[in-house]
Amino acid sequence: MKERNLVKKEISSNGFWKGRLIHLFGGKKSYSVDTIIVRLKNEEGYFMADVIIIPLKRKEKEGFGGKL
């Protein structure tokens, strides 16, 4: 819980956070992945959404023929 509060604080002050998170898939498997969280705001500066980005690894990109 302490780590979650640190992430929230950094997003509030910087508008983003970059690090590793544990993602649960189907409630059975979990993976630790590089993650970027970006805070979106409207023209008036009000919060709209937090967007989570999981960057693709180099080998995964190559699997798409480099068209990403």
Side-chain angles (χ1 to χ4, degrees):
M1 197 62 150
K2 184 177 179 182
E3 293 83 7
R4 182 180 295 208
N5 289 334
L6 292 173
V7 170
K8 286 180 179 181
K9 186 175 181 180
E10 191 167 331
I11 291 171
S12 293
S13 63
N14 298 332
F16 74 97
W17 176 84
K18 184 176 180 180
R20 293 189 68 79
L21 290 178
I22 296 175
H23 291 270
L24 301 175
F25 296 93
K28 296 182 181 181
K29 293 186 178 184
S30 64
Y31 298 93
S32 175
V33 295
D34 292 326
T35 306
I36 301 167
I37 302 175
V38 180
R39 173 145 299 165
L40 300 179
K41 296 182 179 182
N42 66 10
E43 296 84 14
E44 291 85 29
Y46 291 105
F47 170 81
M48 291 179 56
D50 285 335
V51 177
I52 298 175
I53 302 167
I54 302 172
L56 295 175
K57 301 285 184 201
R58 180 108 180 121
K59 287 187 177 185
E60 291 172 336
K61 287 181 183 179
E62 291 171 2
F64 290 100
K67 296 182 180 181
L68 291 178

